[in-house]
Amino acid sequence: MAVEITDQSFQETVLNSDKPVLVDFWATWCGPCRMLGPIIEEVAADFEGKALVGKVDVDNNQQVSVDYGIRNIPTVLIFKNGEVVDKIVGVAPKEVIADKLNSYL
């Protein structure tokens, strides 16, 4: 299950993680985000214990969204050692997302 990440928990959950972290920036009103949601949940299940998968609701957590220049959603960022190492904008197939995340394990 993807972890809900907030402005308040971002530092601890994402930047201080000892594992790669995939973060899905989304909003409830965003159609493509709703299409990507189940894919993110599958990736979260597949990578349990190997990587952290989380979601940031951009409407409720605007500071993190501004900090990382999120202008289009869905946007998926992959972090390793507190740094953004990869980015996917828009809906992508599960295989593409999984392959990118795998490359940072």
Side-chain angles (χ1 to χ4, degrees):
M1 173 105 182
V3 176
E4 190 63 40
I5 299 170
T6 64
D7 284 345
Q8 293 74 29
S9 69
F10 193 84
Q11 175 81 35
E12 182 63 33
T13 306
V14 178
L15 301 182
N16 295 346
S17 176
D18 58 349
K19 296 178 180 143
V21 184
L22 181 145
V23 182
D24 173 25
F25 289 84
W26 71 290
T28 54
W29 49 263
C30 166
C33 298
R34 289 196 302 272
M35 290 170 49
L36 186 61
I39 295 170
I40 295 297
E41 291 298 336
E42 286 181 31
V43 171
D46 292 350
F47 283 85
E48 191 169 345
K50 297 184 278 187
L52 180 71
V53 176
K55 298 172 74 73
V56 172
D57 183 330
V58 297
D59 289 334
N60 298 329
N61 300 285
Q62 295 179 359
Q63 189 57 55
V64 169
S65 303
V66 168
D67 289 349
Y68 288 94
I70 304 301
R71 290 185 176 80
N72 300 306
I73 53 173
T75 293
V76 173
L77 298 181
I78 299 175
F79 292 80
K80 185 164 184 169
N81 301 321
E83 299 291 323
V84 176
V85 292
D86 216 328
K87 178 179 186 174
I88 303 166
V89 178
V91 178
K94 178 182 173 186
E95 296 74 31
V96 170
I97 296 169
D99 285 349
K100 282 184 179 274
L101 188 52
N102 250 328
S103 69
Y104 299 104
L105 294 181

